[in-house]
Structure formats: C-alpha cells, structure tokens
Amino acid sequence: MLNSAPSDVSAGSSSQELPQQQQQQPRWFTPRRLLILFCAINMLNYVDRGVIASNGVNGAPGNYTCEVPETCAHGTGIQGDFKLSYFQDGVLSSAFMVGLLVASPVFAEFSKTYNPFRLIGVGLSVWTVATAGCGLSVDFWSITFFRMLVGVGEASFISLAAPYIDDNAPPDQRAAWLSIFYMCIPVGVALGYVFGGLVGSLVNWRAAFLAEACLMLPFAIFGFISHPINMKGNSKLHQSDHFEDKEKNGFVSLNSSLQDGRGVVADLKELFQNKIFVVNVLGYIAFNFVLGAYSYWGPKAGAAVYHMSDADILFGVVTIFCGIVGTVFGGVILDYVGSTITNTFKYLQPWGQLVA
C-alpha cells in the first residue's frame, strides 16, 4: 500500500494538469485545425509569389524607342505600365527578402515575451496592407517599397508557424505534417501563376494584388480576436504574471524583450555554431537560388522565347503536380524509415543528383 501511494498521487496530479493545459488553448483549437489554418495562410503567402511572376501580372516591356508607330509595342502588366528594365523587374522578385531578413529575427525575439499568435496577427496585417499597396502603387519605387513590406509581414508567420506545427503534430507524423505545410509553397506559387494569369488578362494586374489582400484580411483579424495559442517552448513565460500583464496591456516594449531574453546576437551566435543548421541553411540558399530563377523567369521565358500563350497555366499545373507528389511523398517516407538527419541525407542526396 505504501508503495502504491506515490503512483496514485502522481496519476492524480497529471490528470489535473492535463485539463489545465487544455484550458489554456482556445476552444476552436485542435492540432488538425491549426494545420489547416496555417496551410491556408502559407498558401496565400506563396500565391503572391506566383502572382507577381505570372505573365498576366508581371507582363512584358514595350518597345518605347521605336520611331515607326506601326511597329511600336506597348508593354503590358507591371513591366509595361512602369516601363521597367529586366533588372528592375528582377529587383521586384527579390525585394521582399529585405523585409524578411530584417524582420524575422525581430519577430523571433519578441516571441520570447509576447504571444507568437498575436505576432502572427501583426505580421499578416502588415502583409495585407503591403499587398494592397502593390495594387495601388504608382511607379517602380513605390511597388518596390511595398514588396519589402510584404517580406516584413511574411516574416512573423514563416518564423513562427513551423514551431507551432512541430509542437502539436503527433510524434510519429511530424515529418508528414511539416511536409503538408511546406507543400503549400509550390502549390501556392502554382496557383499564383494561374490566378495572376487569369485576373491579369481578364481584369487588370492591380486587381490580383487587391484580391490577395481581401483573402488574407480575415486571417489577420482572426490572429487578434482569437485567444492566442501557447508554444511549448514559451509555456512557462506565457503562464507568468509578467506575461499576462503584457497581454492585458496589448503591447510589449523592445527594452523588456531584450531584458527577458538573451538577445538576437546571442541567439544567432549559437545558431551559427550548430553545424547541422549551417549546412542545411547553405543548402537551402542554393536550392532557392535555382528555384527562384525558374519560378520567376520561367513563365516569362515560356511566353517570350517559346511563344506559349498559356505559359502561366502550364507552369502552374506542372508545379502543383510535382510539389504535391514530391513534398508529401518525401515526408511520408521519412516518417516510415525514421525522420533523422542521416536518413534525410540518404534520400536527399541520390534524388538531388538524379534531378540535377
């Protein structure tokens, strides 16, 4: 009897703690609903990438230096309206990276002292305003500025969504859940090609950006009105009176954030000392360098070089098929054989070489 008492007490305390942990999450919350919500937001993020790369929105430059009116070709889309060179057009495809690189560590640092779900709401609000601004821009500099803001808005979601999914996914399905989340990247870009091509040809390229803003607005509002979801890594901080006071006040100061955490510099130093992290980031940079070139210039090359009238749709269909099959299939295989770094490289290396 004496030996059984501690186990009874332990079982009783754990059963009491579980309802308390469940009460901390909003009523609508289930892991699957969270995955669906984040997949929808992630897809919209990357629809924007496809939209600005589509021929219906990005368009083509005109021949403004010709002397014979009959041979003058007026440009279309963003390139035509703003008379952009190919270099300026390329800047638009990369401008969001400025905001993304600057804002990502800031949002990550704030997540130590302010609920990440609220930060996602802030980021999505910035994203909504920025995409609407792209549709209302008047020249190269204004649309470049708004493309940078798109990166700022995207930073909060990109840096915080994956940890949420990793926290809440079933342990034996984490790779599959993350693969579903990341599958939204190629699928979103592909849908952006099709959406931008159709809206740009039927209405106007500006309408595509304004429609994006309208689609994202409900998610931005939801980030503010919903009871926030706690992350496991910040659970102790979020349960403290210090954090609750900040939640009630609705804001957090940069000074208090730096005092509560070690700071961005210390975190980055630790990350760069992690060899696995550094190798993966370098590989991801190389991967996105190639993918970015194909995804942005591919539809334009299809239309200008190979005279494909349906380049947006064709690129979209191929990208959707390959993105779904490749991403999900890879995640399922890793869960089956064991999602370790060693197994990841065993499968990644031969397939990468074959594709190359």
Side-chain angles (χ1 to χ4, degrees):
M1 295 293 293
L2 291 176
N3 291 335
S4 63
S7 61
D8 292 339
V9 173
S10 176
S13 62
S14 62
S15 64
Q16 292 175 358
E17 290 175 1
L18 183 60
Q20 290 176 358
Q21 292 174 356
Q22 291 176 343
Q23 289 174 5
Q24 292 171 5
Q25 305 293 21
R27 292 183 179 180
W28 66 266
F29 171 82
T30 65
R32 292 186 183 276
R33 288 176 181 173
L34 180 71
L35 178 64
I36 294 171
L37 175 69
F38 282 174
C39 282
I41 296 172
N42 198 33
M43 191 169 294
L44 268 176
N45 270 323
Y46 283 91
V47 162
D48 177 69
R49 308 272 185 92
V51 162
I52 198 169
S54 66
N55 288 311
V57 171
N58 191 263
N63 182 10
Y64 299 102
T65 60
C66 61
E67 297 180 356
V68 182
E70 289 78 10
T71 63
C72 292
H74 295 285
T76 59
I78 297 174
Q79 256 197 303
D81 283 4
F82 297 154
K83 300 181 181 180
L84 304 183
S85 65
Y86 283 110
F87 173 78
Q88 290 175 313
D89 191 36
V91 168
L92 294 185
S93 71
S94 306
F96 79 97
M97 286 300 300
V98 176
L100 188 67
L101 289 172
V102 172
S104 290
V106 175
F107 278 114
E109 183 66 22
F110 271 115
S111 70
K112 297 177 182 179
T113 50
Y114 197 68
N115 198 293
F117 206 68
R118 289 284 186 262
L119 296 178
I120 290 176
V122 172
L124 296 183
S125 299
V126 174
W127 193 96
T128 302
V129 171
T131 50
C134 290
L136 301 174
S137 55
V138 295
D139 57 15
F140 168 71
W141 293 108
S142 61
I143 194 170
T144 300
F145 171 75
F146 285 117
R147 293 309 297 172
M148 291 180 185
L149 277 186
V150 167
V152 173
E154 188 176 324
S156 68
F157 178 74
I158 293 299
S159 58
L160 299 173
Y164 265 124
I165 295 174
D166 191 57
D167 279 350
N168 294 281
D172 59 340
Q173 298 178 18
R174 281 177 180 168
W177 279 42
L178 286 171
S179 70
I180 293 172
F181 175 72
Y182 288 116
M183 175 195 72
C184 296
I185 295 177
V187 173
V189 172
L191 290 176
Y193 290 151
V194 178
F195 177 71
L198 292 175
V199 174
S201 60
L202 296 177
V203 187
N204 186 275
W205 65 266
R206 298 179 184 274
F209 290 114
L210 296 176
E212 286 178 31
C214 293
L215 290 172
M216 186 63 85
L217 182 60
F219 295 108
I221 296 173
F222 183 75
F224 286 105
I225 65 175
S226 171
H227 190 281
I229 303 171
N230 291 330
M231 294 179 75
K232 290 181 180 178
N234 289 355
S235 59
K236 291 182 180 180
L237 178 62
H238 293 163
Q239 292 169 11
S240 67
D241 295 336
H242 182 52
F243 178 80
E244 291 298 329
D245 290 340
K246 291 178 182 180
E247 278 288 278
K248 292 176 182 178
N249 292 334
F251 70 94
V252 62
S253 68
L254 178 60
N255 183 49
S256 63
S257 175
L258 294 177
Q259 289 175 354
D260 291 338
R262 298 177 306 164
V264 176
V265 176
D267 288 340
L268 292 177
K269 182 179 179 181
E270 182 176 339
L271 280 176
F272 287 127
Q273 291 175 346
N274 187 317
K275 294 180 181 179
I276 294 176
F277 173 80
V278 172
V279 169
N280 275 278
V281 167
L282 291 176
Y284 202 55
I285 289 172
F287 170 77
N288 278 285
F289 179 84
V290 177
L291 184 64
Y294 277 112
S295 63
Y296 192 76
W297 297 106
K300 189 180 293 291
V305 179
Y306 298 104
H307 308 292
M308 296 164 54
S309 59
D310 56 351
D312 289 338
I313 295 177
L314 183 59
F315 267 81
V317 171
V318 172
T319 306
I320 288 175
F321 175 78
C322 296
I324 293 176
V325 172
T327 309
V328 175
F329 188 61
V332 171
I333 288 179
L334 280 178
D335 277 330
Y336 179 76
V337 301
S339 52
T340 65
I341 294 295
T342 303
N343 287 338
T344 300
F345 281 108
K346 282 182 180 178
Y347 284 90
L348 180 61
Q349 199 275 339
W351 281 105
Q353 291 296 326
L354 178 63
V355 172

